[in-house]
Amino acid sequence: SYYLSIPNIELAATNFRQHFVVAGPQSSEEKLLQELESASAIYLKLPIEYGFHSGAIESVIEPTKSALASINFQLPKIPVVSCTTKSYLDFVDSIHFTKILRGSLYFQETIEFLENNGQYIYLDIGPADTLSTFVKYNIEPHSSSQIISTLRLSKDSYNKNNLRADLEK
């Protein structure tokens, strides 16, 4: 476990052991990279414009709450587990969805919760098998759970400019 001591850097997500995402202002980027390099940590700077699950999106929280306030949310008819609560949802409202935008995601702990409660079929419907990979690193080798990826785009075709064209094929 590694502790970052840089002000304004927030934990955005824990995906699996030793794989996490942090977010913060660009003004903290150089210090963050220096600290990671001095610790010989392997890291990747994500090619994103906004630090979701961090203070970088604070300005959209109130408009999102307002937009969702008129929706009458119902509990799902099947059990749903949230990466913000790390357990089954027993209540869904606009605040829960703003917590998803602003709060840290605990993917590792959520998969551990599920695995401790049975066997599952994990269905990754994303374009790049990302969540399938995360699940693979979170379940024990003896688990009876299954992991299924529905879309498998090549790394060459997975980019912002031609993703839509590939999906429409």
Side-chain angles (χ1 to χ4, degrees), residues 63-76:
T64 301
K65 272 188 205 175
S66 296
L68 296 174
S70 63
I71 297 173
N72 182 21
F73 291 96
Q74 303 291 318
L75 279 177

Side-chain angles (χ1 to χ4, degrees), residues 1 9 13 15 22 24 63 72 75 78 88 94 99 136 140 146-147 154 158 161:
S1 169
I9 296 294
N15 298 318
V22 296
N72 182 21
L75 279 177
I78 61 171
Y88 293 107
S94 60
K99 285 180 182 177
K136 179 178 80 174
E140 297 295 328
Q146 296 178 2
I147 305 166
S154 70
Y158 182 66
N161 298 324

